[in-house]
């Protein structure tokens, strides 16, 4: 598999005196989490199929600092952010695309104050732009007519007002899109934001991800579509908790498009 997916690094591009159209910011989840790596691969396949000239930072990429900032360690956040900004500015990066809403939000909204100004897009926004330009075809394959519900990532939806890009892509797959009772502006967090991903939940009557999974199950979907690796983990854990792994899948929008295309 590794041979088939050739992903160039910025260092390689620089050595050849070339500049890519866009930098793909992979993020910690997409780099290290086994489940999220599948989202990374699916997105890379789509970029390749659309003929997008892209590169990654590879070993030069570090955490954006989102978990540190949300957990209250502003000092660590600024250290991580400044290091990344120096690397990005060194390569004269203009456009960044990422499959993680946390990276998206941090680079887009918090890096400018520290000297990092880029055109930042979430992968669903970028895929939609490729679709609009006619560079990528998205059409119903194996998901045609299936009941799908989309879980809005906090940092994409309420944080940055993007609700339609992922849904437009899902509609192109000719699915039956059903909304949860709490969606879009009234969406409920998966329970992983604010660095909660990396700690056990506080005592309470019910975990947030279980509450959200129950809301998803109310609309009887065959697939819960996500646009964030954290959400993917939390919803998958929720489905496992309900012992519904056999009947309900949790998939990133990019994975669904790649699978519909048999990539």
């Amino acid at each position: 598999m590794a041979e088939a997916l050739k992903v160039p690094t910025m260092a390689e591009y620089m050595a050849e005196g070339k500049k890519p159209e866009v930098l793909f910011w992979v993020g910690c989840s997409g780099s290290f989490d086994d489940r999220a790596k599948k989202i990374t691969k699916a997105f890379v396949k789509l970029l390749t199929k659309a003929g997008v000239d892209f590169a990654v930072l590879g070993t030069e990429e570090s955490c954006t600092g989102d978990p540190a900032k949300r957990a209250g360690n502003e000092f660590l956040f600024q250290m991580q952010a400044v290091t990344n900004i120096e690397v990005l500015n060194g390569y004269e990066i203009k456009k960044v695309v990422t499959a993680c809403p946390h990276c998206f939000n941090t680079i887009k909204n918090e890096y400018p104050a520290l000297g990092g100004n880029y055109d930042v897009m979430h992968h669903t926004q970028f895929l939609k732009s490729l679709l609009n330009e006619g560079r990528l075809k998205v059409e119903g394959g194996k998901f045609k007519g299936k009941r799908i519900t989309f879980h809005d990532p906090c940092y994409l939806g309420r944080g940055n007002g993007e609700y339609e890009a992922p849904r437009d892509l899902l509609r192109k797959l000719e699915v039956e899109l059903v909304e949860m009772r709490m969606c879009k502006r009234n969406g409920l967090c998966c329970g992983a934001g604010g660095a909660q991903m990396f700690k056990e939940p506080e005592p309470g009557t019910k975990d947030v991800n279980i509450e959200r999974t129950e809301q998803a199950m109310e609309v009887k979907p065959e697939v819960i579509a996500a646009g964030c690796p954290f959400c993917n983990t939390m919803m998958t854990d929720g489905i496992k908790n309900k012992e519904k792994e056999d009947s309900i899948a949790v998939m990133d929008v990019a994975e669904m498009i790649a699978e519909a295309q048999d990539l």
Side-chain angles (χ1 to χ4, degrees):
M1 191 68 224
E3 297 77 38
L5 286 179
K6 178 73 186 87
V7 182
T9 63
M10 276 308 301
E12 290 167 358
Y13 262 82
M14 198 74 164
E16 292 175 24
K18 292 194 302 187
K19 272 189 190 169
E21 177 184 340
V22 65
L23 172 82
F24 171 29
W25 185 277
V26 184
C28 301
S29 264
S31 301
F32 301 114
D33 180 78
D34 284 341
R35 175 65 188 87
K37 283 179 195 172
K38 293 177 181 172
I39 301 169
T40 304
K41 285 177 182 169
F43 185 53
V44 164
K45 286 176 186 171
L46 293 173
L47 290 177
T48 306
K49 187 166 197 290
V52 176
D53 193 13
F54 72 100
V56 297
L57 286 175
T59 53
E60 292 185 275
E61 182 185 299
S62 169
C63 178
T64 58
D66 165 78
K69 187 177 182 76
R70 306 297 159 227
N73 194 337
E74 181 66 22
F75 179 66
L76 177 58
F77 160 71
Q78 292 205 15
M79 277 171 57
Q80 290 178 305
V82 168
T83 306
N84 285 325
I85 289 166
E86 281 178 359
V87 173
L88 290 168
N89 289 352
Y91 283 125
E92 295 176 1
I93 298 295
K94 300 281 181 280
K95 194 166 186 176
V96 179
V97 62
T98 178
C100 173
H102 295 256
C103 299
F104 165 72
N105 178 71
T106 303
I107 300 172
K108 179 177 187 282
N109 298 322
E110 287 162 353
Y111 276 24
L114 298 166
N117 295 285
Y118 320 103
D119 174 14
V120 190
M121 296 180 88
H122 184 250
H123 71 315
T124 56
Q125 296 175 323
F126 191 67
L127 290 171
K128 186 164 180 260
S129 72
L130 293 175
L131 185 76
N132 294 345
E133 291 164 19
R135 296 168 70 183
L136 184 70
K137 240 175 115 118
V138 180
E139 50 194 24
K142 58 178 285 189
F143 298 104
K144 188 172 181 171
K146 289 201 168 177
R147 274 177 81 83
I148 313 285
T149 191
F150 180 69
H151 163 74
D152 287 286
C154 294
Y155 279 118
L156 183 64
R158 289 174 302 171
N160 286 284
E162 179 61 83
Y163 301 105
E164 293 314 313
R167 286 177 172 81
D168 287 347
L169 291 167
L170 289 170
R171 286 189 198 101
K172 283 278 190 268
L173 290 174
E174 297 168 58
V175 304
E176 183 194 343
L177 191 59
V178 285
E179 297 288 1
M180 291 182 239
R181 57 187 165 87
M182 292 181 77
C183 66
K184 299 190 179 176
R185 217 170 317 166
N186 299 318
L188 181 71
C189 177
C190 69
Q196 296 288 328
M197 178 80 171
F198 308 104
K199 59 182 272 299
E200 290 303 311
E202 282 86 5
T205 52
K206 192 192 288 184
D207 286 356
V208 178
N209 68 316
I210 303 300
E211 174 75 22
R212 188 56 167 162
T213 302
E214 286 171 357
Q215 290 180 5
M217 286 168 61
E218 282 171 13
V219 297
K220 300 184 168 49
E222 292 168 77
V223 180
I224 298 172
C228 168
F230 286 15
C231 297
N232 201 305
T233 298
M234 300 304 271
M235 299 306 281
T236 301
D237 286 352
I239 291 296
K240 282 178 182 165
N241 177 276
K242 298 290 181 187
E243 297 181 346
K244 292 285 186 205
E245 305 107 299
D246 297 337
S247 56
I248 303 175
V250 180
M251 295 181 78
D252 189 88
V253 175
E255 290 180 301
M256 293 175 69
I257 297 170
E259 209 165 293
Q261 307 253 3
D262 286 328
L263 291 181

